[in-house]
Amino acid sequence: MKALVTGATGFIGSHLVEKLLENGFSVKCYVRKSANMRWIKDLTVEIVYGDLYDLDLLKVITKDVHYIYHVAGVIASKQKDGYFLGNQIATRNFLEAVKDNPNLKRFIFIGSQSAVGPSINGVPVDEETPYHPITTYGKSKMEAEKEVFKFIDVIPYTIVRLSVIYGSRDTATFDFFKAVNIGIIPLVGFKKKYVNILHARDAVEGIILAGENAQALNKIYQIGSEQSYSWDELSSVTMNVLHRKAVKIRIPEFLVMPMAGMNGCLSVFNKKPSVLNWEKGKDMIADAWTCDISKAKKELDFVPKISLEEGIKETIEWYKKQGWLK
């Protein structure tokens, strides 16, 4: 079997490529010429350079592919149009390019809970929860999902919506671990906020289970941890692993948006857009980003194997080995 992975040089994509190789797949990685190859440069994979707007090239390189894992996407942009271009339009182009591929067994779109939105009145979202995204990123991922639905008669697909993912190579949750390491626990607001958070290896297991399971054809699955955690709980586990004492600093919600917005404005002078911007501020002040994974457990036999303490310990050890943490 041959699989093609977009976003293969990134955090989740690189872990997915490793697992596919371990499972005996021949893997083709579709990457931008400017991509940093550090996580996959030593892997036995076929590298194809290009973008998701070259339909002719996409048609050629996907002819012999059986599974497509579309991980690539835009998580930060200086303009709102950038989110839709990198998530919705790019996905539509990709689908157009592969719709006539007779070898394609499954197109697996890697989505995000952001497409659905945060928990509603404390109730975890599931696959039936109505769309209610609160950011432009979330809206663009929602529109990308809707593009996938349009091809239901010609492309066998599965959509996987991920909760918060952490692990080696991750830069998004690294800032949290870095803060705790220096003795600071940054918390938003004065009441507990909850999140489902899953280790990258467990996330990849869920993605592959969804991609290969016949019962998952043309379905959506939430993939995350079995239970939700408060940021206070995550902080306590992290402090225990680091053998650190830390001071909790609570940032009032009314200050989060201006701070995030100012950081986003300052990023216009940087080469890359900042992930912490006005949009991200909306995510941060939400009371809960929790999800119900019952469907994935029942239909895919998906059960996370890595405990929170084990996962955080492994992640921190990796950060230290790389010199990211002292």
Side-chain angles (χ1 to χ4, degrees):
M1 290 286 104
K2 179 171 285 190
L4 181 142
V5 179
T6 69
T9 59
F11 164 46
I12 294 172
S14 60
H15 282 284
L16 176 59
V17 170
E18 287 179 342
K19 188 60 181 178
L20 288 169
L21 289 171
E22 183 183 321
N23 289 355
F25 272 77
S26 171
V27 180
K28 186 181 296 190
C29 299
Y30 192 54
V31 302
R32 292 175 288 107
K33 289 185 178 179
S34 60
N36 188 329
M37 306 293 287
R38 56 184 171 173
W39 308 134
I40 64 170
K41 63 182 177 65
D42 296 324
L43 301 180
T44 307
V45 296
E46 179 183 351
I47 302 294
V48 180
Y49 293 99
D51 58 48
L52 293 171
Y53 311 103
D54 189 340
L55 265 67
D56 291 334
L57 178 58
L58 287 170
K59 288 178 181 178
V60 171
I61 68 165
T62 56
K63 278 184 178 180
D64 60 343
V65 168
H66 304 100
Y67 292 87
I68 293 175
Y69 290 89
H70 181 32
V71 186
V74 171
I75 60 172
S77 174
K78 294 182 180 180
Q79 289 84 35
K80 288 188 175 183
D81 288 350
Y83 290 105
F84 291 96
L85 182 64
N87 295 324
Q88 178 189 6
I89 306 304
T91 300
R92 180 199 301 162
N93 287 345
F94 204 178
L95 292 162
E96 283 288 350
V98 303
K99 66 181 181 182
D100 297 320
N101 181 353
N103 297 313
L104 186 62
K105 295 181 179 295
R106 195 74 58 87
F107 181 97
I108 303 95
F109 176 77
I110 310 305
S112 164
Q113 184 179 336
S114 296
V116 186
S119 310
I120 302 175
N121 298 323
V123 178
V125 305
D126 62 19
E127 293 80 3
E128 303 303 319
T129 303
Y131 287 117
H132 59 284
I134 61 174
T135 63
T136 304
Y137 168 70
K139 292 172 184 175
S140 69
K141 294 296 281 187
M142 172 188 71
E143 293 300 332
E145 287 190 7
K146 291 181 178 180
E147 294 294 342
V148 176
F149 299 151
K150 293 176 184 178
F151 290 80
I152 189 170
D153 294 327
V154 289
I155 295 179
Y157 71 79
T158 299
I159 294 174
V160 175
R161 292 175 181 158
L162 298 177
S163 68
V164 174
I165 309 299
Y166 74 103
S168 61
R169 307 170 195 164
D170 181 36
T171 57
T173 56
F174 170 63
D175 288 336
F176 172 76
F177 293 122
K178 182 169 63 174
V180 177
N181 189 54
I182 61 174
I184 298 172
I185 300 173
L187 298 172
V188 175
F190 294 91
K191 60 181 179 180
K192 288 186 177 181
K193 295 183 182 296
Y194 292 85
V195 65
N196 278 66
I197 183 167
L198 185 70
H199 192 275
R201 289 206 312 279
D202 277 334
V204 164
E205 289 282 357
I207 289 170
I208 293 175
L209 283 172
E212 297 182 4
N213 193 308
Q215 196 173 352
L217 180 65
N218 297 345
K219 290 185 180 180
I220 302 172
Y221 292 93
Q222 290 284 167
I223 296 294
S225 54
E226 289 191 87
Q227 69 181 87
S228 58
Y229 302 92
S230 70
W231 283 100
D232 296 87
E233 291 176 291
L234 294 173
S235 302
S236 296
V237 173
T238 304
M239 284 190 294
N240 289 337
V241 169
L242 285 167
H243 305 293
R244 291 274 198 277
K245 290 184 179 180
V247 177
K248 291 181 181 179
I249 298 179
R250 293 191 175 274
I251 306 168
E253 290 185 1
F254 70 85
L255 288 179
V256 171
M257 295 303 293
M259 291 169 62
M262 180 167 291
N263 190 72
C265 289
L266 292 174
S267 77
V268 300
F269 301 106
N270 300 329
K271 190 172 182 181
K272 292 184 177 181
S274 173
V275 175
L276 178 57
N277 52 26
W278 180 268
E279 297 278 319
K280 187 62 178 178
K282 295 179 184 178
D283 284 347
M284 294 170 67
I285 64 175
D287 287 342
W289 285 93
T290 58
C291 62
D292 183 346
I293 66 167
S294 298
K295 183 179 177 181
K297 289 176 65 177
K298 180 180 179 181
E299 297 185 5
L300 307 177
D301 291 327
F302 170 67
V303 179
K305 299 180 179 66
I306 302 171
S307 70
L308 183 64
E309 185 171 0
E310 178 189 354
I312 289 179
K313 182 178 181 181
E314 179 187 302
T315 301
I316 286 173
E317 287 176 352
W318 185 90
Y319 286 145
K320 287 183 176 181
K321 186 176 180 181
Q322 296 297 315
W324 293 17
L325 285 181
K326 301 296 183 184

